[in-house]
Amino acid sequence: MRFSLFIFLIFTALSSAQNNYPQDYFSNPLEIPLILSGTFAELRSNHFHSGLDIKTQQRVGLKVKAIANGYVSRIKVSHYGYGKALYITHPNGYTSVYGHLQKFAPEIEAYIKKHQYEKESYQIELFPSAETLPVSKDSLVAYSGNSGGSGGPHLHFEIRDKAERPMNPMLFGIDIKDDIAPVIKSIYAYPLDDNAFINKSNTKQKLNLIPLQNGDYVIKNIEAYGNIGFGIETIDRQNLAANSNGVYNIQTFVNGNRNFEIDFKKFSFAETRHLNQLIDYEIYTTKKRRIQKLFKKNNPLSLLKPVINNGVLNIEDSTYSVYKIKVADYKNNASWVTINIKGSKNSITETTAKKITPYFIKTDQAVNLKEENIAVDFYKDTFYDDFYLDFDVKNDTLTLHKNTIAAKKSFNITFDISKYNEEDKQKLYIARLVGYKKYPTYSTTKRKENLLTTNTKILGTYTLARDTIKPTITPINFKNGQWLSKYRYLKIKINDTGSGISNYRATVNGKWILMEYDYKTKTLTHDFNDNVITDTKNNLKVILTDNVGNNSTFEALFYRK
């Protein structure tokens, strides 16, 4: 009897250790079946996705519910990012997050509008006390929407731990139907030093991927020598959606021994930018494909579990190795890739000529570069790896390499504009030239006397641009002198073709009114249900300013009863 009890206790302890996350504590945030357009930690531009993107049937206005008892601990409203977002802290220490909302539940909506009017700002961030906005499980807290940086109607949903680290919500019993194995799109091989070769070459190369009838893959046999690594392009799909989503786990094995793992279970926001070192950044910026490197090189990401030699393979002459990659989703549907490697030192026939410039950037040193009126300051540990930098200045244009090297930290670019007259100085800004046509895009610019400075993490071509054109303001659903008694909304279109919109301010009869800005449609919207416009005759005034100070004023008269 004692022995049986001992075994039971051991089994219970092991089961608890395997799953430390409550399974029945949280409910679903929507009243519809959960279908995903985005999975946790999938690869996005400069970051990992921090939650689940839940489809809302291509609609806005679906009821969003609190997944457990708790209180609203944070509310953030912004033009970009999560747009309208709500944070609920729960008694078990976790916080749930709901983003891209259309609007909040009435009590929460009234609370935040009160503060928006007090601060005279649409963009706002509040941290209510535990007693201010308590919520109960399954109670209405918001309505789904498409606000902020959303590409279409959906609910962005997160669960964070006490340290504000996002975690995969599926760890908590949030269930998504999925019996489809991940798809392997491509495999790359990387010689990792000057003495390493793959298929007679010292350059990275795309390998010949062959799908098998059972859903797995093989690679045409390769010859290699020295320190090499591999990279994979892979996606996952769920049963009820055609979206290309992220996977849950990637493991690699050499001759049956596990040597590397990427575990997409949780991460911190402080490390999310290191995604650019996980992927082959050059392929991403030139071909828009994300190849995940299956070896660790100067990357502090906690997602990486380098079991043996940081995932690097050391291939010796006259050896045979079997390298396998297992890619799995959360439901443990898995796809395997098998690569047979013949070690052959005699296969070396092609080497890579490296481009050498006068500017060698060492990661452990700060560097200041200056030519003519332009200076660049790299701080220590700005980049992950040492490299030769292309640096050139001609006619107020800076060539600062190509955007093929990932930066770990921001660096400064400074333009001395003392040669310009005072009128021109006021209209200048720093722009990064993008695309085939080298279109100038505003890079956040600060001015101190005769110096313009931008702080950026992107290499590329920068120049001085001039913006003398005022932004435009156009009414959408009304005309000057019109009666608007039956209207719910007042809508205005705003636009700027140069440096971009910096800020706006709207008043009626001299009193500030709340206007929501949707940058995707370039629309300002006022809701008359705010009940701040009470006069019959109303003078509307909108002032719009761009990033170099050009401003426009729009005025109109309207009537309401």
Coordinates of all heavy atoms in Angstrom, one line a residue, residues 441-496:
T441 N 11.4 58.4 -47.2 CA 10.4 58.2 -46.1 C 11.0 58.9 -44.8 O 12.2 58.8 -44.5 CB 10.2 56.7 -45.8 OG1 11.4 56.1 -45.5 CG2 9.6 56.1 -47.0
Y442 N 10.1 59.5 -44.1 CA 10.5 60.3 -42.9 C 11.2 59.4 -41.9 O 10.6 58.4 -41.5 CB 9.3 61.0 -42.3 CG 9.6 61.8 -41.1 CD1 10.2 63.0 -41.1 CD2 9.2 61.3 -39.8 CE1 10.5 63.8 -40.0 CE2 9.4 62.0 -38.7 CZ 10.1 63.2 -38.7 OH 10.3 64.0 -37.6
S443 N 12.4 59.8 -41.4 CA 13.0 59.1 -40.3 C 13.0 60.1 -39.1 O 13.4 61.3 -39.3 CB 14.5 58.7 -40.7 OG 15.1 58.0 -39.6
T444 N 12.4 59.7 -38.0 CA 12.2 60.6 -36.9 C 13.4 61.5 -36.7 O 14.5 61.0 -36.4 CB 11.8 59.9 -35.6 OG1 10.7 59.0 -35.9 CG2 11.5 60.8 -34.5
T445 N 13.2 62.8 -36.8 CA 14.3 63.8 -36.9 C 14.2 64.8 -35.7 O 13.1 65.4 -35.5 CB 14.3 64.6 -38.2 OG1 14.3 63.6 -39.3 CG2 15.5 65.5 -38.3
K446 N 15.3 64.9 -35.0 CA 15.4 65.9 -34.0 C 16.4 67.0 -34.4 O 17.4 66.7 -35.0 CB 15.8 65.3 -32.6 CG 14.8 64.3 -32.1 CD 15.3 63.8 -30.7 CE 14.3 62.8 -30.2 NZ 14.7 62.2 -28.9
R447 N 16.0 68.3 -34.0 CA 16.9 69.4 -34.4 C 17.5 70.1 -33.1 O 16.7 70.4 -32.2 CB 16.1 70.4 -35.2 CG 17.0 71.6 -35.6 CD 16.3 72.6 -36.5 NE 17.2 73.8 -36.8 CZ 16.8 74.8 -37.5 NH1 15.6 74.9 -38.0 NH2 17.6 75.8 -37.6
K448 N 18.8 70.3 -33.2 CA 19.4 71.1 -32.1 C 20.3 72.1 -32.8 O 21.4 71.7 -33.4 CB 20.2 70.2 -31.1 CG 20.8 71.0 -30.0 CD 21.5 70.1 -29.0 CE 22.0 70.9 -27.8 NZ 22.7 70.0 -26.8
E449 N 19.9 73.4 -32.9 CA 20.6 74.4 -33.6 C 20.8 74.0 -35.0 O 19.8 73.8 -35.7 CB 22.0 74.7 -32.9 CG 21.8 75.3 -31.5 CD 23.1 75.5 -30.7 OE1 24.1 75.1 -31.2 OE2 23.0 76.1 -29.6
N450 N 22.0 73.8 -35.5 CA 22.3 73.5 -36.9 C 22.5 72.0 -37.2 O 23.0 71.6 -38.2 CB 23.5 74.3 -37.4 CG 23.2 75.7 -37.6 OD1 22.1 76.1 -38.1 ND2 24.1 76.6 -37.3
L451 N 22.0 71.2 -36.2 CA 22.2 69.7 -36.4 C 20.9 69.0 -36.4 O 20.0 69.2 -35.6 CB 23.1 69.2 -35.2 CG 24.5 69.7 -35.1 CD1 25.2 69.1 -33.9 CD2 25.3 69.5 -36.4
L452 N 20.7 68.2 -37.4 CA 19.6 67.3 -37.5 C 20.1 65.9 -37.2 O 21.0 65.4 -37.8 CB 18.9 67.3 -38.9 CG 18.3 68.6 -39.4 CD1 17.6 68.4 -40.7 CD2 17.2 69.1 -38.3
T453 N 19.3 65.2 -36.3 CA 19.8 63.8 -35.9 C 18.6 62.9 -36.0 O 17.5 63.2 -35.6 CB 20.4 63.8 -34.5 OG1 21.5 64.7 -34.5 CG2 20.8 62.4 -34.1
T454 N 18.9 61.7 -36.5 CA 17.9 60.6 -36.4 C 18.5 59.4 -35.7 O 19.7 59.1 -35.9 CB 17.4 60.2 -37.8 OG1 16.3 59.3 -37.7 CG2 18.5 59.6 -38.7
N455 N 17.7 58.7 -35.0 CA 18.1 57.5 -34.2 C 17.4 56.3 -34.9 O 16.2 56.2 -34.9 CB 17.7 57.6 -32.8 CG 18.2 56.5 -31.9 OD1 17.5 55.6 -31.5 ND2 19.5 56.6 -31.6
T456 N 18.2 55.4 -35.4 CA 17.6 54.3 -36.2 C 18.3 53.0 -36.0 O 19.5 53.0 -35.5 CB 17.7 54.7 -37.7 OG1 17.1 53.7 -38.5 CG2 19.1 54.9 -38.2
K457 N 17.7 51.9 -36.4 CA 18.3 50.6 -36.4 C 18.5 50.0 -37.8 O 18.8 48.8 -38.0 CB 17.5 49.6 -35.5 CG 17.5 49.9 -34.1 CD 16.6 48.9 -33.3 CE 16.6 49.2 -31.8 NZ 15.8 48.3 -31.1
I458 N 18.3 50.9 -38.8 CA 18.2 50.4 -40.2 C 19.4 51.0 -41.0 O 19.5 52.2 -41.1 CB 16.9 50.7 -40.9 CG1 15.7 50.1 -40.0 CG2 16.8 50.2 -42.3 CD1 14.4 50.6 -40.5
L459 N 20.2 50.1 -41.6 CA 21.2 50.6 -42.5 C 20.6 50.9 -43.8 O 19.4 50.5 -44.1 CB 22.3 49.5 -42.7 CG 23.2 49.2 -41.5 CD1 24.0 47.9 -41.8 CD2 24.0 50.3 -41.1
G460 N 21.3 51.6 -44.7 CA 20.7 52.0 -46.0 C 21.1 53.4 -46.4 O 22.2 53.9 -46.0
T461 N 20.4 54.0 -47.3 CA 20.7 55.3 -47.8 C 19.8 56.4 -47.2 O 18.6 56.2 -47.2 CB 20.5 55.3 -49.4 OG1 21.3 54.3 -49.9 CG2 20.9 56.6 -49.9
Y462 N 20.5 57.4 -46.7 CA 19.8 58.5 -46.0 C 20.1 59.8 -46.7 O 21.3 60.0 -47.2 CB 20.2 58.6 -44.5 CG 19.6 57.4 -43.7 CD1 20.2 56.2 -43.7 CD2 18.4 57.6 -43.0 CE1 19.7 55.1 -43.0 CE2 17.9 56.5 -42.2 CZ 18.6 55.3 -42.2 OH 18.1 54.3 -41.5
T463 N 19.2 60.8 -46.7 CA 19.4 62.0 -47.3 C 18.7 63.1 -46.6 O 17.8 62.9 -45.8 CB 19.0 62.0 -48.8 OG1 19.5 63.2 -49.5 CG2 17.5 61.9 -49.0
L464 N 19.0 64.4 -46.9 CA 18.2 65.5 -46.5 C 17.0 65.7 -47.4 O 17.2 65.8 -48.6 CB 19.0 66.8 -46.4 CG 20.0 66.9 -45.2 CD1 20.8 68.2 -45.3 CD2 19.3 66.8 -43.9
A465 N 15.8 65.8 -46.9 CA 14.6 66.1 -47.7 C 14.0 67.4 -47.2 O 14.2 67.8 -46.1 CB 13.6 64.9 -47.6
R466 N 13.3 68.0 -48.1 CA 12.7 69.3 -47.8 C 11.2 69.2 -48.0 O 10.7 68.7 -49.0 CB 13.3 70.4 -48.8 CG 12.8 71.8 -48.5 CD 13.8 72.7 -49.3 NE 13.3 74.1 -49.2 CZ 12.6 74.8 -50.1 NH1 12.2 74.1 -51.2 NH2 12.3 76.0 -49.9
D467 N 10.4 69.7 -47.1 CA 9.0 69.7 -47.1 C 8.4 71.1 -46.9 O 8.5 71.6 -45.8 CB 8.4 68.7 -46.1 CG 6.9 68.6 -46.1 OD1 6.3 69.2 -47.0 OD2 6.4 67.9 -45.2
T468 N 7.8 71.6 -48.0 CA 7.2 73.0 -47.9 C 5.7 72.9 -48.2 O 5.1 74.0 -48.2 CB 7.9 73.9 -48.9 OG1 7.7 73.4 -50.2 CG2 9.4 74.0 -48.7
I469 N 5.2 71.7 -48.3 CA 3.8 71.6 -48.7 C 2.9 71.4 -47.4 O 3.2 70.5 -46.6 CB 3.6 70.4 -49.6 CG1 4.4 70.6 -50.9 CG2 2.1 70.3 -50.0 CD1 4.4 69.4 -51.9
K470 N 1.9 72.1 -47.3 CA 1.0 72.0 -46.1 C 0.2 70.8 -46.2 O -0.2 70.3 -47.3 CB 0.1 73.2 -46.0 CG 0.8 74.5 -45.7 CD -0.2 75.7 -45.6 CE 0.5 77.0 -45.2 NZ -0.5 78.1 -45.1
P471 N -0.2 70.2 -45.1 CA -1.1 69.0 -45.1 C -2.5 69.4 -45.5 O -2.8 70.6 -45.5 CB -1.1 68.5 -43.7 CG -0.6 69.7 -42.9 CD 0.3 70.5 -43.7
T472 N -3.3 68.5 -46.0 CA -4.6 68.8 -46.5 C -5.7 68.3 -45.5 O -5.5 67.3 -44.8 CB -4.9 68.2 -47.8 OG1 -4.7 66.8 -47.8 CG2 -3.9 68.7 -48.8
I473 N -6.8 69.0 -45.5 CA -8.0 68.7 -44.6 C -9.2 68.8 -45.5 O -9.5 69.8 -46.0 CB -8.1 69.7 -43.4 CG1 -6.7 69.7 -42.7 CG2 -9.2 69.2 -42.5 CD1 -6.7 70.8 -41.6
T474 N -10.0 67.7 -45.5 CA -11.1 67.7 -46.4 C -12.3 67.0 -45.7 O -12.2 65.9 -45.2 CB -10.9 66.8 -47.7 OG1 -9.7 67.3 -48.3 CG2 -12.0 66.9 -48.7
P475 N -13.5 67.7 -45.6 CA -14.6 67.1 -45.0 C -15.2 65.9 -45.8 O -15.1 66.0 -47.0 CB -15.7 68.2 -44.9 CG -15.3 69.2 -46.0 CD -13.8 69.1 -46.1
I476 N -15.6 64.9 -45.1 CA -16.1 63.7 -45.8 C -17.6 63.6 -45.9 O -18.2 63.4 -47.0 CB -15.6 62.4 -45.1 CG1 -14.1 62.3 -45.2 CG2 -16.2 61.1 -45.7 CD1 -13.5 61.1 -44.5
N477 N -18.3 63.8 -44.8 CA -19.7 63.6 -44.8 C -20.6 64.8 -44.5 O -21.7 64.7 -44.0 CB -20.1 62.4 -43.8 CG -19.8 62.8 -42.3 OD1 -19.0 63.7 -42.1 ND2 -20.4 62.2 -41.4
F478 N -20.0 66.0 -44.7 CA -20.8 67.2 -44.4 C -20.2 68.4 -45.2 O -19.1 68.3 -45.8 CB -20.8 67.6 -42.9 CG -19.4 68.0 -42.4 CD1 -19.1 69.4 -42.3 CD2 -18.4 67.1 -42.1 CE1 -17.8 69.8 -41.9 CE2 -17.2 67.5 -41.6 CZ -16.9 68.8 -41.5
K479 N -21.0 69.4 -45.3 CA -20.6 70.6 -46.0 C -20.7 71.8 -45.1 O -21.5 71.8 -44.1 CB -21.4 70.8 -47.3 CG -21.2 69.8 -48.4 CD -22.0 70.1 -49.6 CE -23.5 70.0 -49.4 NZ -24.2 70.2 -50.6
N480 N -20.1 72.9 -45.4 CA -20.2 74.1 -44.6 C -21.6 74.6 -44.6 O -22.3 74.7 -45.6 CB -19.3 75.2 -45.2 CG -19.2 76.4 -44.3 OD1 -19.2 76.3 -43.1 ND2 -19.3 77.6 -44.9
G481 N -22.1 74.9 -43.3 CA -23.4 75.4 -43.2 C -24.5 74.4 -43.1 O -25.7 74.7 -43.0
Q482 N -24.2 73.1 -43.0 CA -25.1 72.0 -43.1 C -25.7 71.7 -41.7 O -25.1 71.9 -40.7 CB -24.5 70.7 -43.6 CG -25.4 69.6 -43.9 CD -24.7 68.4 -44.6 OE1 -23.6 68.6 -45.1 NE2 -25.3 67.3 -44.6
W483 N -27.0 71.3 -41.7 CA -27.6 70.7 -40.5 C -27.2 69.3 -40.3 O -27.3 68.5 -41.2 CB -29.1 70.8 -40.5 CG -29.6 72.2 -40.2 CD1 -29.8 73.2 -41.1 CD2 -30.0 72.7 -38.9 NE1 -30.3 74.3 -40.4 CE2 -30.4 74.0 -39.1 CE3 -30.1 72.1 -37.7 CZ2 -30.9 74.8 -38.0 CZ3 -30.5 72.9 -36.6 CH2 -30.9 74.2 -36.8
L484 N -26.7 68.9 -39.1 CA -26.2 67.6 -38.8 C -26.9 66.9 -37.6 O -26.4 66.1 -37.0 CB -24.7 67.6 -38.5 CG -23.8 68.2 -39.6 CD1 -22.3 68.2 -39.2 CD2 -23.9 67.5 -40.9
S485 N -28.2 67.3 -37.4 CA -28.9 66.8 -36.3 C -29.1 65.3 -36.3 O -29.1 64.6 -35.3 CB -30.3 67.5 -36.2 OG -30.2 68.9 -36.1
K486 N -29.2 64.7 -37.5 CA -29.5 63.2 -37.6 C -28.2 62.5 -37.8 O -28.2 61.2 -37.9 CB -30.4 63.0 -38.7 CG -31.8 63.6 -38.5 CD -32.7 63.2 -39.7 CE -34.1 63.8 -39.5 NZ -35.0 63.5 -40.7
Y487 N -27.0 63.1 -37.7 CA -25.8 62.5 -37.9 C -25.2 61.9 -36.6 O -25.3 62.6 -35.6 CB -24.7 63.4 -38.5 CG -24.9 63.7 -40.0 CD1 -26.1 64.1 -40.5 CD2 -23.9 63.5 -40.9 CE1 -26.3 64.4 -41.9 CE2 -24.0 63.7 -42.3 CZ -25.2 64.1 -42.7 OH -25.4 64.4 -44.1
R488 N -24.6 60.7 -36.6 CA -24.0 60.2 -35.5 C -22.5 60.6 -35.4 O -21.9 60.8 -34.4 CB -24.1 58.6 -35.5 CG -23.2 57.9 -34.5 CD -23.6 57.9 -33.1 NE -22.7 57.3 -32.2 CZ -22.7 56.0 -31.8 NH1 -23.6 55.2 -32.3 NH2 -21.8 55.6 -31.0
Y489 N -21.9 60.7 -36.6 CA -20.4 61.0 -36.7 C -20.1 62.2 -37.6 O -20.9 62.5 -38.5 CB -19.7 59.8 -37.3 CG -19.9 58.5 -36.5 CD1 -20.7 57.5 -36.9 CD2 -19.2 58.3 -35.2 CE1 -20.9 56.3 -36.1 CE2 -19.3 57.2 -34.5 CZ -20.2 56.2 -34.9 OH -20.3 55.1 -34.2
L490 N -19.0 62.8 -37.3 CA -18.5 63.9 -38.0 C -17.1 63.4 -38.6 O -16.3 63.0 -37.8 CB -18.3 65.1 -37.2 CG -17.7 66.4 -37.9 CD1 -18.8 67.0 -38.7 CD2 -17.3 67.4 -36.8
K491 N -16.9 63.3 -39.9 CA -15.8 62.7 -40.5 C -15.0 63.7 -41.4 O -15.6 64.4 -42.2 CB -16.1 61.4 -41.3 CG -16.7 60.4 -40.4 CD -16.9 59.1 -41.1 CE -17.4 57.9 -40.2 NZ -17.4 56.6 -40.9
I492 N -13.7 63.6 -41.2 CA -12.8 64.5 -42.0 C -11.6 63.7 -42.5 O -11.0 62.8 -41.7 CB -12.2 65.6 -41.1 CG1 -13.4 66.6 -40.7 CG2 -11.1 66.4 -41.8 CD1 -13.0 67.6 -39.7
K493 N -11.1 63.9 -43.7 CA -10.0 63.2 -44.2 C -8.8 64.1 -44.1 O -8.9 65.3 -44.5 CB -10.2 62.8 -45.7 CG -9.1 61.9 -46.2 CD -9.5 61.2 -47.5 CE -8.6 60.1 -47.8 NZ -9.1 58.8 -47.9
I494 N -7.7 63.6 -43.6 CA -6.4 64.4 -43.5 C -5.3 63.7 -44.3 O -5.3 62.4 -44.3 CB -6.0 64.7 -42.1 CG1 -5.8 63.4 -41.3 CG2 -7.1 65.5 -41.4 CD1 -5.3 63.6 -39.9
N495 N -4.3 64.4 -44.8 CA -3.3 63.8 -45.5 C -2.1 64.7 -45.6 O -2.2 66.0 -45.5 CB -3.7 63.5 -46.9 CG -2.8 62.5 -47.6 OD1 -2.1 61.8 -47.0 ND2 -2.8 62.5 -49.0
D496 N -0.9 64.1 -45.7 CA 0.4 64.9 -45.9 C 1.3 64.1 -46.8 O 1.5 62.9 -46.6 CB 1.1 65.2 -44.6 CG 2.3 66.1 -44.8 OD1 2.0 67.3 -44.9 OD2 3.4 65.6 -44.8

